Amino acid sequence: LEEKDFELLAEAKFTKLKELNLSGCHLSYWPKPLEKFTTLEVLNLRGNQKITQADFTGFTTLRELNLECCQLEKLPKGLKKAK
């Protein structure tokens, strides 16, 4: 997937999605347009080994996040302590 693919999804009003599975998509970057999907409750980024940074600041409804096998350099912005 490329940046333009995420832009197309955002423009097509898919920003109201509740669940998004991007596991194993071989993303090599944090797609900025993904930040428009603020209604996500479940996001699976498992296996995107080249993602080193992410920002979850606008994801206030996110309750489940899978970052397994991602090579994050530090805890992403916007994540709260797990309960």
Side-chain angles (χ1 to χ4, degrees):
L1 291 172
E2 296 179 22
E3 190 92 14
K4 65 181 180 178
D5 297 319
F6 290 101
E7 284 290 348
L8 288 172
L9 285 173
E11 290 172 17
K13 308 295 184 218
F14 282 100
T15 54
K16 303 259 187 236
L17 286 174
K18 299 288 183 195
E19 187 171 331
L20 185 59
N21 184 349
L22 296 172
S23 63
C25 285
H26 305 287
L27 296 177
S28 58
Y29 59 92
W30 171 251
K32 292 296 275 179
L34 192 59
E35 294 171 9
K36 295 178 183 176
F37 294 77
T38 56
T39 59
L40 283 177
E41 295 176 4
V42 178
L43 178 58
N44 186 352
L45 293 169
R46 183 182 192 278
N48 289 288
Q49 297 176 356
K50 294 183 181 180
I51 292 180
T52 58
Q53 301 178 47
D55 186 353
F56 296 97
T57 305
F59 293 86
T60 56
T61 58
L62 196 63
R63 58 180 173 72
E64 187 177 320
L65 174 64
N66 187 343
L67 296 171
E68 187 178 346
C69 298
C70 292
Q71 301 295 317
L72 294 170
E73 297 169 348
K74 59 184 177 182
L75 188 65
K77 288 166 59 174
L79 289 184
K80 296 179 184 178
K81 242 186 206 181
K83 293 182 180 181

